[in-house]
Amino acid sequence: MSRAAALPATPPPPVREFGFEPQDHRAIATLVYDELGILLPEGKAQLVYGRLAPRVRACGLTSVGEYVKLIERDEAERGRALDALTTNHTSFFRENHHFDDFVERMWPGLVERLNSGGRVRLWSAACSSGEEPYTWLMAALGTDKAAAQRLLKRDFKLLATDVSPSVLETARAGRYPAATLRTVPAALRSAWVRGTGDALSVDPLLTEAISFLPLNLLGDWPIKTRFDTIFCRNVMIYFDDPTKARLQSRLADKLEVGGMLYIGHSERLAPEVARRFECVGRTAYLKVSA
């Protein structure tokens, strides 16, 4: 057999229900970058097609090119397209060392403040379907529900935001497949999870303690308060360096001096932002200057 004959054949292009041209991908990638800061290089073309094909079908169109023209003029459908193209991968107690660090480093002082009549403000800045903020409360409050109820009646607020309306619906409902909740430690699961069978619910005490609101991290923030701790994890991996730096600077501005910022395990602070923080753990940063 000749050397040329031994080379693998070029794989055929994927068979697609709808027309999808390179310029269609470029138009969508530009829209997503401009709106959300998310990078969608050419290598993501099949992912983009797979996520938009159901919307093309639902709109009765024959090509992604037609869909691109539709979302240029139809704001509601553009929102549905952006929702379909956002990645929402999360789990209960994901990167658990952050919750352990918060409970040890920050929570005792915040509890003392609450009990003294002060206020506490926390922000889960890319909450997805709610597993992160629910984990955060479970880890902080522990298994004593009576003590938890007393604390939550004080001046305590946990804001949880995401750009995706569909995942926020799941988060507000607080209802998850039983398999999803297996990563919750048994004692906390016994205290805070209700129901039997394949679908379980988070205790209403937790759902009522969290304000789930839509927010584009790259858009305007109608947020006047500063926070004692911010979780913004595993969202900046989709951004380019200038976008990351701008977002991190805005997060730092919204954090009290002495507050904590937690980011994803593969994320790092931009040098100009890192100067305002002290790294005190794995991707855990204490704000030390304004």
Side-chain angles (χ1 to χ4, degrees):
M1 181 181 294
S2 69
R3 182 177 179 83
L7 293 174
T10 302
V15 177
R16 291 169 173 155
E17 179 181 357
F18 306 105
F20 183 48
E21 302 300 326
Q23 62 266 27
D24 300 333
H25 176 80
R26 288 193 292 271
I28 292 163
T30 298
L31 169 68
V32 172
Y33 180 80
D34 289 345
E35 294 277 345
L36 305 178
I38 295 173
L39 297 171
L40 291 174
E42 291 293 332
K44 299 286 187 180
Q46 186 57 32
L47 178 147
V48 168
Y49 175 84
R51 293 190 179 182
L52 290 185
R55 294 305 316 155
V56 177
R57 191 179 304 115
C59 294
L61 303 176
T62 61
S63 71
V64 178
E66 291 179 354
Y67 187 69
V68 169
K69 292 179 181 177
L70 173 65
I71 63 178
E72 286 174 351
R73 64 179 187 271
D74 186 329
E75 184 176 354
E77 187 59 37
R78 183 164 62 251
R80 287 187 280 271
L82 292 170
D83 192 7
L85 290 167
T86 54
T87 297
N88 297 290
H89 172 70
T90 187
S91 60
F92 283 94
F93 285 85
R94 184 183 187 187
E95 297 178 34
N96 190 39
H97 57 279
H98 285 154
F99 303 107
D100 290 342
D101 184 89
F102 172 82
V103 170
E104 179 180 348
R105 185 186 309 278
M106 298 295 294
W107 189 235
L110 297 178
V111 169
E112 183 177 350
R113 188 194 303 170
L114 287 170
N115 286 330
S116 300
R119 73 175 198 171
V120 168
R121 298 292 184 266
L122 310 177
W123 182 16
S124 172
C127 72
S128 188
S129 45
E131 288 89 337
E132 178 178 274
Y134 286 130
T135 295
W136 196 354
L137 277 187
M138 289 183 197
L141 296 172
T143 59
D144 188 340
K145 292 181 68 174
Q149 192 166 25
R150 288 193 296 271
L151 274 180
L152 294 178
K153 286 181 178 178
R154 298 188 181 277
D155 194 358
F156 172 90
K157 294 187 185 299
L158 197 165
L159 173 65
T161 63
D162 200 274
V163 72
S164 169
S166 60
V167 298
L168 286 173
E169 288 182 13
T170 299
R172 291 188 190 102
R175 189 166 176 81
Y176 301 93
T180 301
L181 288 149
R182 287 176 186 160
T183 52
V184 179
L188 292 174
R189 192 164 63 245
S190 177
W192 296 112
V193 177
R194 293 182 166 190
T196 58
D198 295 333
L200 306 176
S201 298
V202 175
D203 191 285
L205 187 64
L206 299 186
T207 60
E208 292 166 6
I210 303 172
S211 296
F212 290 104
L213 297 174
L215 184 75
N216 182 347
L217 288 175
L218 301 190
D220 294 331
W221 295 358
I223 301 171
K224 296 180 180 179
T225 189
R226 283 200 175 98
F227 296 90
D228 300 294
T229 297
I230 298 174
F231 275 66
C232 187
R233 307 187 305 166
N234 304 305
V235 64
M236 289 181 279
I237 55 175
Y238 302 107
F239 299 158
D240 60 16
D241 288 342
T243 304
K244 291 176 189 176
R246 287 194 299 272
L247 173 58
Q248 291 170 5
S249 180
R250 295 178 75 191
L251 292 171
D253 290 343
K254 284 296 180 184
L255 193 63
E256 298 280 10
V257 173
M260 286 293 300
L261 173 65
Y262 296 96
I263 63 177
H265 71 280
S266 62
E267 299 167 338
R268 298 294 180 269
L269 292 185
E272 62 268 33
V273 181
R275 289 191 287 269
R276 303 169 68 180
F277 289 88
E278 177 186 354
C279 182
V280 293
R282 286 184 289 168
T283 51
Y285 298 90
L286 177 71
K287 185 176 175 183
V288 294
S289 69

